[in-house]
Amino acid sequence: SNENLNKYFNSLSLNSDELIGDKKINHWDLFKLFKNPKSSVRCKKCKDLTTYEVSISKLPVYLCIRLKRFCYDSNQCDFQKIETFIDFPDKLNMYSLLDKDKQCSFESKSLEKDCEYELFATIEHIGNILMGHYYANVKIKGKWFQCNDTSIFETSNYKNRNTLALF
């Protein structure tokens, strides 16, 4: 069922287009934008313009974080790839991002420890919005490997400006 699937797998999409031009972005900057978006919506009932807040009430066992790397450039009337380096840790604790009714999907005594995710894979894209190439980096027994079509080799470059997704 979808309910069981969502208990184990889920994804967050983090927008980075508001931070274009920065040399380096910390992952917490993206989470702040996610939790407190600057956009507003119009209420369907009263038609007033209002802001909204995103909340996280429950975490899955496995989390995928998608970094939005493409945006519309109104000056050039075209889409562009965002190639700013986004720094993210190998271990990410999501406890501080949960609502006050904090709960993780894990069964354990330590809630804060249960909200910790360890990075085990990334997906990268080389190219532009029209064409490019995807490849994956995976962590096996403490070592990182790049999987690129017909070749697999050890790498230390699993964090770079081409990263699209974190697992």
Side-chain angles (χ1 to χ4, degrees), residues 138 140 145-154:
V138 294
I140 302 170
F145 295 89
Q146 186 178 100
C147 305
N148 191 351
D149 289 345
T150 60
S151 64
I152 298 175
F153 55 89
E154 195 170 343

Side-chain angles (χ1 to χ4, degrees), residues 41-120:
V41 293
R42 191 161 300 279
C43 176
K44 290 181 181 178
K45 291 182 182 177
C46 68
K47 307 296 183 209
D48 285 344
L49 201 58
T50 185
T51 57
Y52 63 94
E53 180 180 296
V54 177
S55 63
I56 301 172
S57 59
K58 192 172 185 178
L59 292 171
V61 175
Y62 301 101
L63 177 66
C64 171
I65 298 175
R66 293 180 291 136
L67 306 173
K68 293 185 178 181
R69 289 283 190 181
F70 300 100
C71 70
Y72 185 73
D73 183 349
S74 58
N75 294 330
Q76 296 181 10
C77 297
D78 199 6
F79 287 91
Q80 71 177 32
K81 183 176 178 186
I82 302 166
E83 294 186 334
T84 303
F85 179 78
I86 299 171
D87 190 25
F88 50 89
D90 286 349
K91 288 190 178 185
L92 175 65
N93 194 310
M94 298 285 289
Y95 183 78
S96 65
L97 296 171
L98 286 174
D99 290 348
K100 53 188 151 190
D101 299 327
K102 295 174 172 52
Q103 53 179 305
C104 293
S105 295
F106 312 112
E107 306 286 332
S108 180
K109 297 173 187 162
S110 172
L111 178 64
E112 190 167 354
K113 185 173 171 39
D114 284 344
C115 296
E116 187 171 278
Y117 293 90
E118 185 169 348
L119 187 67
F120 66 89

Side-chain angles (χ1 to χ4, degrees), residues 18 36-41 50-52:
E18 291 184 40
N36 302 303
K38 293 182 180 175
S39 57
S40 56
V41 293
T50 185
T51 57
Y52 63 94

